[in-house]
Amino acid sequence: MVSEDTREELAEALYGALREQSPIDRLTAEHDLTMEDAYDVQTRLIDRRLADGAEIVGHKIGLTSDGIQEQLGVDEPDFGRLLDTMFVEGREIPGDDLIQPRVEPEIGFLMEKPLEPPVTYLDVLDATGSVLPVVEVIDSRVRDWDIQIEDTIADNASSALYVAGERTSVPENDLSLEGVKLYKNGTLESSGVGAAVLDHPARSVAWLANTLSELDETIEAGHLVLSGSLTPAVDLAPGDVISVEFTSIGTVNARLGQ
């Protein structure tokens, strides 16, 4: 582990990169961070944003596919906090707030009841009030996405913004079979199914609920949980138009501002 002073300095560096839209070198280049260190840095980063007036409205889960886990040499997902200031009103994504954005299609779970561990995916489905299609805009405050697992955790799981479609009731069909197609400027860039997210998106939410319990945190009623991407991330440039079409839960369209 690194010292508390170091964790505070790293949080401040990430906060500065976020505010100035100016990336920094990866934290792990100079510091031997543990996962515990990284989550502590994340908490300190979020504390700064809360002090600016933001509020926590849920969580996002990352690293839910086998491919990205293998790429980063890990065997479990990570998570970050969703803030109300990350929600994009309308369909115009503010490009001025971003450094090197990418987009991912996700199934959002809006909780009607809190999740009290131990939690199974069936508990998640029972506690979910509605689901919604989401385009998550991820971004890295680390230069050129040169990250290891500890870097992305510290950087609030590389979160940035999200665009959400209409809410719908939990479909009767198996969400592991829910398909999605991601188009950029009218061209199909990627496609996937819910099973890409820990075999079932609700299993991802269950993992989060059980993991948070170790930190004395809970997924509360009213919280939104972004369960993880069904496809690889797609780079986004100013002016790009994104369309995410799910089989049964809806469609989201968005454009990155110039």
Side-chain angles (χ1 to χ4, degrees), residues 173-196:
N173 59 298
D174 187 346
L175 281 174
S176 70
L177 303 177
E178 180 74 13
V180 70
K181 294 181 179 179
L182 190 162
Y183 295 87
K184 183 170 75 171
N185 301 325
T187 299
L188 179 64
E189 290 284 336
S190 194
S191 61
V193 295

Side-chain angles (χ1 to χ4, degrees), residues 16 47 58 65 91 94 113 136 150 157 177 195 205 243:
D47 285 345
S65 72
R91 296 291 178 263
K113 295 180 285 189
E136 184 186 7
E150 295 85 3
L177 303 177
V205 181
S243 179

Side-chain angles (χ1 to χ4, degrees), residues 47-171:
D47 285 345
R48 285 164 165 77
R49 301 186 68 177
L50 298 181
D52 288 338
E55 294 183 7
I56 293 176
V57 295
H59 292 80
K60 65 146 289 179
I61 307 168
L63 312 184
T64 52
S65 72
D66 290 340
I68 190 64
Q69 287 186 11
E70 290 172 7
Q71 181 180 342
L72 290 180
V74 297
D75 59 4
E76 68 174 18
D78 70 350
F79 70 85
R81 277 80 168 191
L82 274 189
L83 304 177
D84 59 344
T85 51
M86 296 178 182
F87 175 66
V88 176
E89 296 277 0
R91 296 291 178 263
E92 184 84 3
I93 299 167
D96 289 346
D97 295 340
L98 304 168
I99 301 172
Q100 43 198 353
R102 297 173 176 175
V103 291
E104 298 178 331
E106 310 211 5
I107 298 174
F109 288 74
L110 189 60
M111 309 313 301
E112 187 173 54
K113 295 180 285 189
L115 289 173
E116 301 291 346
V119 174
T120 70
Y121 84 100
L122 294 176
D123 296 323
V124 171
L125 294 174
D126 180 64
T128 300
S130 57
V131 295
L132 56 160
V134 175
V135 172
E136 184 186 7
V137 183
I138 59 173
D139 198 8
S140 182
R141 273 56 66 173
V142 177
R143 187 173 291 106
D144 300 326
W145 283 96
D146 177 26
I147 54 174
Q148 296 183 4
I149 178 65
E150 295 85 3
D151 298 294
T152 185
I153 289 173
D155 192 21
N156 199 28
S158 302
S159 61
L161 304 167
Y162 69 96
V163 186
E166 297 295 324
R167 303 176 189 176
T168 185
S169 57
V170 179

